[in-house]
Amino acid sequence: MFGIQGRLTLLFVVIVTLVLGISGTYAQYSLGHELEISSQRLRQGVLTRLQTSLPSALWDLDKAKVDNIVAAEMMPPELVSIRVYDTSVGLFSGKLRNENGSVTSIENDAAVGGSAVVADLAYRDSGAAGAALKPVIVGRVVVNFSRAQIDATLAAEVRRKVIEVLLLDLILVAALALSLRIVFDPLKRLRDGLFDLATRGSDEVEELPDNRQDELGEVIRGFNAIQRKIKSNIQRIREAEDEARQSAAATAKAMDDLRRTQESLLQAERLASLGGLVAGVAHEINTPVGIALTSASVLLEATEKVQASVEGGNIKKSDITRYLETASESTRLIMNNAYRAAHLIHSFKQIAVDQVSEARRRFELRDYINEVVSSLQPKLKKTQIEVSIVCPPDIMLDSYPGALAQVITNLTLNCVEHAFEPDAEGRIVIGVTQQGDWIEMKVTDNGKGIAPDMLDKVFDPFVTTRRGQGGTGLGLNIVFNLMAKQFGGSVTVCSVLGQGASFVLRMPCVTPVDETALHADSRLPA
């Protein structure tokens, strides 16, 4: 089976080969064109000089002078032969280049290779009174040119380009094989663990090594927890079955226990299906974790500077003021993004079990949107994209602020990643209007837009235009699920290719309470 790693490697190799092949073809065409122009200039120059210098010597029947002129013009290696014919005696003089490169005289009018160019030799003289007479044709010159030099140069260039492409492909394959192992080796172990979990006949839990301290380590630890949960449920089912076989009198109670256990198993199976989604957690939590790490680094650097000033005894009030501002901003960013990362992981569970379990509160919408966008500044500062907020004040929501922050974050970062080319300038506008008990939020960009064949698929899971470049296809799917299931609203998208895209969200100011979801959530095992 041709796996993802192999397909990624093949894709990169094909792209690099195509790019190098196209550039090499263009370079080959340009080189051939330049060589043809140079050859044409050489031919024109040789004929011009011969037509200028030979007529007078041929008129005087000065064979020595004609031989010298012909020999001088035979210096370029592209010339195969030069033959000078007199109108009366035929072949008057000629030079031929042998296969070893030496030049010899032509004694007879034998066939000569190469392409021949024939030109008449016209002698012009002045009469006694200085009037110009009509030119007299005194002979003709036949020059044979060879394309061997051009063909050899083009062939050498083709060989060099082929070797260059092969070397770059080998280097790319080796680099991808080494770099992709960092990600795909843990994923392969996780895949084997999932397959073993689905086909294992025993209830023994064989946990995967979870000593990694990165995002994949968190995924593996989550998988091990699911295994333990499933083992617990299987054990409870077996106990219920044993009790049912031991006593017919306890059949009703055993069936009741079995029904409850089956419900728990259904929840566990939904959690197990999360294994198909958790591979995207590593990418999705990079942004909040990265922002928190950057803020912590800034705070550490500021703390070290203040500590150095204190130890040196030259601390100033302005230093303390700047430090307090930096510390306040950094801690706020760390807290906000740590909460966002925790909520993001929690959202995966929400999608898997289709429940609503986040606490809700009343909050002012414009200030909250400003706070979310502010927490994204470490990411936005690396781009030339401006984010504008157009929201009336005093719009109060009774809803789930954490989930709303995730919706705004996913939509904003989706625009940053997909709507604009790297280092391109752009603008994202988050506009809000209130319509009675509902609000309408539009997230609009002036980027490159969405292709018509993708518009109906943007909210589907695992649909992405950046496959192999960090995209998981889960961001907009999470937005769709949160809007439909948690906020009781809707999200639509419209776009014209090349003119940007607009995501329209409609939701009630007071999020309705899903009683069935609360009841199901109360039955989840602790």
Side-chain angles (χ1 to χ4, degrees):
M1 180 179 178
F2 202 39
I4 296 177
Q5 183 175 358
R7 291 198 296 269
L8 286 176
T9 302
L10 178 61
L11 177 62
F12 279 110
V13 169
V14 169
I15 291 175
V16 170
T17 302
L18 286 177
V19 171
L20 292 178
I22 293 172
S23 65
T25 302
Y26 177 75
Q28 188 78 0
Y29 169 78
S30 300
L31 177 60
H33 184 64
E34 292 175 1
L35 292 176
E36 290 292 343
I37 293 176
S38 177
S39 176
Q40 187 64 30
R41 289 176 179 172
L42 175 64
R43 296 184 182 194
Q44 189 65 35
V46 169
L47 289 177
T48 301
R49 290 192 296 273
L50 290 175
Q51 287 180 313
T52 302
S53 57
L54 284 178
S56 60
L58 196 60
W59 177 266
D60 296 333
L61 297 178
D62 188 349
K63 189 174 187 308
K65 185 176 181 180
V66 171
D67 288 342
N68 290 335
I69 293 172
V70 171
E73 293 296 338
M74 286 294 294
M75 295 297 293
E78 289 84 355
L79 271 74
V80 178
S81 70
I82 300 177
R83 289 169 289 175
V84 180
Y85 292 89
D86 182 64
T87 55
S88 58
V89 300
L91 181 63
F92 185 79
S93 176
K95 297 291 183 180
L96 174 66
R97 189 181 305 279
N98 296 322
E99 293 181 356
N100 57 5
S102 61
V103 178
T104 58
S105 297
I106 299 177
E107 301 299 336
N108 50 49
D109 198 7
V112 179
S115 59
V117 179
V118 181
D120 291 332
L121 300 175
Y123 178 74
R124 292 176 176 81
D125 195 8
S126 300
L133 299 178
K134 184 179 180 181
V136 178
I137 302 299
V138 296
R140 61 189 174 89
V141 61
V142 179
V143 184
N144 287 71
F145 294 90
S146 173
R147 287 185 52 86
Q149 291 283 36
I150 296 177
D151 294 339
T153 302
L154 293 176
E157 182 66 13
V158 169
R159 289 193 296 271
R160 188 184 70 81
K161 285 292 183 181
V162 170
I163 294 174
E164 179 182 335
V165 170
L166 291 177
L167 287 177
L168 287 176
D169 284 344
L170 288 175
I171 293 173
L172 180 62
V173 169
L176 288 174
L178 293 176
S179 59
L180 293 178
R181 285 181 59 188
I182 299 175
V183 175
F184 281 97
D185 284 353
L187 290 181
K188 288 178 181 177
R189 290 197 297 270
L190 184 60
R191 177 204 61 194
D192 295 339
L194 288 170
F195 182 78
D196 185 48
L197 180 63
T199 58
R200 186 189 307 145
S202 171
D203 61 349
E204 292 295 327
V205 176
E206 298 181 5
E207 297 186 2
L208 299 177
D210 58 355
N211 54 353
R212 296 177 63 98
Q213 300 302 318
D214 53 14
E215 293 85 351
L216 290 174
E218 294 293 334
V219 173
I220 293 174
R221 283 189 281 275
F223 171 73
N224 290 336
I226 292 174
Q227 284 198 100
R228 292 191 293 269
K229 186 71 175 179
I230 292 178
K231 178 190 176 182
S232 174
N233 289 329
I234 292 175
Q235 184 64 32
R236 292 171 61 184
I237 292 175
R238 289 183 175 180
E239 291 175 356
E241 291 176 346
D242 291 340
E243 291 176 2
R245 286 192 297 264
Q246 290 173 2
S247 174
T251 300
K253 182 178 180 300
M255 290 296 295
D256 212 33
D257 291 340
L258 182 58
R259 189 176 300 110
R260 288 195 297 270
T261 305
Q262 287 174 339
E263 291 176 358
S264 298
L265 182 58
L266 178 60
Q267 299 296 336
E269 287 176 351
R270 290 177 179 175
L271 289 175
S273 67
L274 191 59
L277 298 176
V278 292
V281 175
H283 168 71
E284 296 292 341
I285 67 173
N286 271 342
T287 298
V289 172
I291 295 173
L293 181 59
T294 302
S295 301
S297 301
V298 171
L299 180 59
L300 176 61
E301 182 180 354
T303 303
E304 290 175 347
K305 289 182 179 179
V306 170
Q307 184 177 1
S309 298
V310 172
E311 293 175 352
N314 56 353
I315 187 69
K316 300 177 183 178
K317 181 180 179 181
S318 59
D319 296 335
I320 296 176
T321 301
R322 283 195 300 271
Y323 173 73
L324 291 177
E325 292 175 353
T326 301
S328 177
E329 179 68 13
S330 298
T331 52
R332 186 181 66 81
L333 290 176
I334 292 172
M335 290 297 296
N336 288 346
N337 287 279
Y339 172 78
R340 286 174 49 216
H343 178 75
L344 179 60
I345 297 173
H346 178 63
S347 296
F348 275 90
K349 175 185 175 183
Q350 290 177 328
I351 295 171
V353 301
D354 194 22
Q355 300 296 325
V356 177
S357 60
E358 184 190 17
R360 58 186 291 170
R361 63 179 174 86
R362 285 176 55 83
F363 58 93
E364 203 273 329
L365 183 58
R366 187 174 69 173
D367 290 343
Y368 192 72
I369 295 176
N370 280 317
E371 182 179 352
V372 174
V373 173
S374 176
S375 68
L376 297 176
Q377 286 306 310
K379 175 72 174 179
L380 297 174
K381 285 192 298 185
K382 300 177 181 178
T383 68
Q384 301 185 49
I385 300 172
E386 176 189 359
V387 179
S388 301
I389 300 172
V390 182
C391 178
D394 302 327
I395 295 182
M396 299 299 298
L397 295 186
D398 184 357
S399 188
Y400 302 92
L404 181 61
Q406 184 180 351
V407 168
I408 297 172
T409 298
N410 283 13
L411 289 176
T412 304
L413 294 183
N414 181 76
C415 293
V416 172
E417 295 292 336
H418 298 277
F420 305 99
E421 297 293 340
D423 300 326
E425 295 184 358
R427 188 182 184 195
I428 300 172
V429 179
I430 302 176
V432 180
T433 57
Q434 187 169 8
Q435 302 170 352
D437 294 334
W438 288 71
I439 65 166
E440 181 177 277
M441 181 185 301
K442 290 186 178 180
V443 181
T444 306
D445 65 75
N446 61 347
K448 54 189 178 183
I450 304 173
D453 59 339
M454 288 290 294
L455 274 177
D456 295 334
K457 305 175 183 177
V458 292
F459 297 115
D460 294 343
F462 304 111
V463 173
T464 178
T465 58
R466 294 175 60 85
R467 184 75 61 194
Q469 305 175 35
T472 63
L474 294 174
L476 293 181
N477 179 253
I478 292 175
V479 170
F480 181 85
N481 280 279
L482 289 177
M483 290 302 301
K485 299 178 181 179
Q486 186 157 350
F487 293 109
S490 64
V491 55
T492 57
V493 61
C494 59
S495 175
V496 176
L497 198 61
Q499 300 182 19
S502 179
F503 291 85
V504 181
L505 295 81
R506 296 192 77 254
M507 57 184 292
C509 296
V510 178
T511 300
V513 178
D514 189 346
E515 297 293 343
T516 59
L518 292 176
H519 179 67
D521 186 67
S522 66
R523 292 180 296 165
L524 287 176

